[in-house]
Amino acid sequence: IVVVGTNDSTVVAFKAENGRMLWSFPCGGAVKASIAFDAKRNLAIWGSHDGKFYGVDVLSGKEIFSIKTGNTVYSTPLVVDDFLYVASTDKFLYVFDLEKKEIVRKIRTHGKLYSSPRLIDGLVYFGSNDGMVRVLDPKTNELCNTLALPERITCGITKSKTENLFYAKTYDDQIFAFSSV
């Protein structure tokens, strides 16, 4: 199944083998980032410009949950075990328990979040428009480290497999490399 978001406020699922549409789900705003998948619960998960993040059954297109944030969700959510991490431009990273279907933590930053959270070496990394790289331990959902950069971080943090360096792209198109956070 291929699931894609659109600028016309719709998420659509297609059968990969033949391109046949399986379902269409209307949102209240455009879906600008990629769709995340939760294989354990068979969910497609995304954020929308309507300020919500959605979880929908992959096969049926039936809504399982929708959670309102304080502003646009411009990034791709991250599923780690039973938790979902969603960055919002309301300056919060939402930690959502996928089993209980409830927010268990909101981590406040001092800048809007456009950077998709990423799982690297067992930890969740995310950047924000306050120039901070934050690291979260998904076992405790507590922040375990931070790093200040001189510019707004708008893309997901990545790590080189060969050089053991982390990379962060900023709003002014600079790329910063660092060895640890």
Side-chain angles (χ1 to χ4, degrees):
I1 295 174
V2 176
V3 183
V4 296
T6 69
N7 278 334
D8 68 355
S9 306
T10 305
V11 172
V12 185
F14 300 94
K15 192 166 179 89
E17 294 85 25
N18 58 22
R20 183 176 60 88
M21 188 170 83
L22 297 174
W23 51 263
S24 176
F25 187 92
C27 304
V31 177
K32 296 285 192 176
S34 298
I35 310 295
F37 291 93
D38 176 10
K40 180 177 179 180
R41 283 159 283 272
N42 207 33
L43 297 175
I45 303 167
W46 66 87
S48 172
H49 277 218
D50 65 0
K52 292 181 181 179
F53 59 92
Y54 295 87
V56 171
D57 181 83
V58 168
L59 297 176
S60 69
K62 178 185 172 203
E63 182 178 313
I64 305 302
F65 62 81
S66 65
I67 305 296
K68 182 81 172 136
T69 72
N71 206 341
T72 299
V73 178
Y74 208 97
S75 63
T76 302
L78 172 68
V79 176
V80 179
D81 299 324
D82 291 331
F83 292 98
L84 176 68
Y85 301 90
V86 180
S88 175
T89 58
D90 69 358
K91 301 179 182 179
F92 285 97
L93 178 78
Y94 290 79
V95 181
F96 183 78
D97 186 313
L98 288 160
E99 287 294 320
K100 297 177 182 175
K101 295 180 184 62
E102 65 184 26
I103 296 169
V104 294
R105 181 121 197 258
K106 287 171 56 176
I107 298 170
R108 179 163 178 65
T109 67
H110 299 289
K112 292 182 177 185
L113 299 175
Y114 294 97
S115 168
S116 297
R118 300 272 175 84
L119 184 66
I120 303 171
D121 296 338
L123 299 172
V124 176
Y125 287 75
F126 65 101
S128 78
N129 271 14
D130 62 4
M132 297 294 291
V133 175
R134 290 174 174 81
V135 185
L136 181 78
D137 184 342
K139 291 178 179 57
T140 62
N141 287 317
E142 297 292 329
L143 286 174
C144 56
N145 219 337
T146 60
L147 173 69
L149 296 179
E151 180 56 78
R152 299 165 283 181
I153 303 164
T154 53
C155 294
I157 308 302
T158 59
K159 183 180 178 191
S160 168
K161 292 178 184 176
T162 57
E163 294 150 8
N164 206 29
L165 289 173
F166 293 87
Y167 297 94
K169 181 181 175 288
T170 61
Y171 180 75
D172 63 353
D173 288 329
Q174 293 185 65
I175 297 176
F176 287 87
F178 44 96
S179 59
S180 67
V181 177

